[in-house]
Amino acid sequence: MFDHLSITASDLDRAQTFYDAILAPLGVPRVNRRERAIGYGERPRGDGASCYFSVYLSDKVVPDNRHWCFRAPSRAAVRAFHAAALANGGSDDGPPGIRERYSPDYYAAFVRDPDGNRLEAVTRRPEERP
């Protein structure tokens, strides 16, 4: 797990709409918005128990070989992450499902944000029972 990470986006309003939508099902809130940056999650504390994700405005967005994976609390959250991405300007890069090449319980979805960054949501929990 990461302590914090930062990426860039060419349009901060578009990025906010996208990241607000895909991070909500994962329980990650937007905690600030400044003129050139957006922040999600919790600022790292001394115990390392939290993580923080920043999106900075830049005209030099370089998404090649970037891949971030967010931990999801459930398979339903993985599906909601994927659906929110597609509904908010993202593109499919691997629909929700088991990825046995990683492990038999690795349930994930992959998307690209509007700037081409590759994102994943994963859980290793079994399907929820109604």
Side-chain angles (χ1 to χ4, degrees), residues 23 31 39 42 62 64 73 76 86 101 105 107 109 123:
L23 294 177
V31 294
E42 298 178 36
V62 184
D64 291 346
L86 300 183
R101 69 178 179 251
D105 61 348
Y107 188 88
T123 188

Side-chain angles (χ1 to χ4, degrees), residues 38-97:
I38 309 167
Y40 294 89
E42 298 178 36
R43 288 227 179 251
R45 301 183 308 254
D47 62 5
S50 60
C51 60
Y52 194 75
F53 175 61
S54 299
V55 181
Y56 289 97
L57 182 62
S58 176
D59 59 354
K60 298 177 184 172
V61 177
V62 184
D64 291 346
N65 296 320
R66 292 184 181 176
H67 171 176
W68 293 276
C69 182
F70 297 98
R71 189 178 319 163
S74 66
R75 291 183 181 195
V78 171
R79 292 188 292 272
F81 162 92
H82 187 263
L86 300 183
N88 287 278
S91 59
D92 177 49
D93 204 30

Side-chain angles (χ1 to χ4, degrees), residues 7-16 18-19 33 35-38 54-63 66 89 113-117:
I7 66 168
T8 56
S10 60
D11 180 325
L12 214 51
D13 291 331
R14 179 180 70 183
Q16 179 176 316
F18 181 82
Y19 284 101
R33 168 69 193 254
E35 184 178 338
R36 302 189 56 83
I38 309 167
S54 299
V55 181
Y56 289 97
L57 182 62
S58 176
D59 59 354
K60 298 177 184 172
V61 177
V62 184
R66 292 184 181 176
D113 77 3
D115 283 301
N117 293 298

Side-chain angles (χ1 to χ4, degrees), residues 96-108:
I98 292 288
R99 303 300 195 278
E100 288 199 18
R101 69 178 179 251
Y102 301 133
S103 75
D105 61 348
Y106 195 101
Y107 188 88

